Amino acid sequence: MNAAANVPNGRNVTERTFTWTGPPSCHSMVAQIMLRYGFRRDDAVPYVRIALTQEEDWSLRVTAGGQTVAARHRLPDRARAGRELQDAMSALTGQPLGAWGYLIGMRPSKVLHPFFAAEDYDAAARAFLEEARVAPHERELLLEIGALQREYVATDRQEVARRAAVYIGIPLCPSHCSYCS
């Protein structure tokens, strides 16, 4: 996505406020992405407006200063919509994705769990992390952690039904999302 040509005020965004509309299930994702780029939610006076909709496919529209920065339709899933939002914010602010690429949240190794059942876990997980633009050092760290977690994470439905995961929330994060609440 090359949104830089449509960016109001160039890459010098000084007003770091946003508002958004979309499914409640996306609240956490949007809040974490916007926090990554230094934006705080302000429904009264937002500089950036985000509209995320889901019908058959996902659609994303991002405006800044009244001008469209990104408009994407027919996105296959929520994750792709999140990537498009990160690309739009990166173009708007001039900030790169960073070492963790498109990964957001508090448990980056959790994205590897679906690959644990794969015959060639390492190759499948590595390909995913490369596509997610995770930097080499962080990618290797995640693969190492995933290899250690693999024996403890259930990969079939019957086993999942017998196990439980426990999360203890310690509210240190400046954003409020559904993860801790």
Side-chain angles (χ1 to χ4, degrees), residues 101-138:
Y102 290 119
L103 302 185
I104 58 172
M106 298 184 56
R107 295 174 48 203
S109 65
K110 187 176 179 183
V111 299
L112 300 179
H113 293 187
F115 303 104
F116 287 171
E119 249 181 68
D120 191 355
Y121 156 75
D122 192 67
R126 186 175 301 279
F128 171 81
L129 293 173
E130 286 174 5
E131 183 183 317
R133 296 171 50 186
V134 176
H137 177 265
E138 285 72 12

Side-chain angles (χ1 to χ4, degrees), residues 138-158:
E138 285 72 12
R139 186 181 322 135
E140 294 306 316
L141 177 62
L142 283 174
L143 290 169
E144 185 179 323
I145 291 169
L148 294 171
Q149 289 180 340
R150 192 174 180 195
E151 69 179 279
Y152 300 105
V153 176
T155 56
D156 68 21
R157 290 182 185 259
Q158 289 179 344

Side-chain angles (χ1 to χ4, degrees), residues 33-112:
I33 291 170
M34 297 307 287
L35 184 63
R36 171 185 268 183
Y37 289 96
F39 283 73
R40 65 179 173 76
R41 186 164 182 174
D42 184 344
D43 292 332
V45 190
Y47 179 71
V48 173
R49 294 179 183 274
I50 302 161
L52 186 60
T53 57
Q54 179 192 17
E55 291 174 12
E56 284 185 30
D57 297 318
W58 289 83
S59 294
L60 170 72
R61 180 177 206 76
V62 180
T63 59
Q67 296 181 21
T68 299
V69 176
R72 298 289 179 264
H73 306 285
R74 294 187 200 92
L75 300 170
D77 54 33
R78 176 186 122 129
R80 184 63 193 182
R83 288 180 179 197
E84 292 290 339
L85 176 57
Q86 288 183 73
D87 286 343
M89 294 311 298
S90 183
L92 178 66
T93 63
Q95 292 176 246
L97 281 176
W100 293 100
Y102 290 119
L103 302 185
I104 58 172
M106 298 184 56
R107 295 174 48 203
S109 65
K110 187 176 179 183
V111 299
L112 300 179

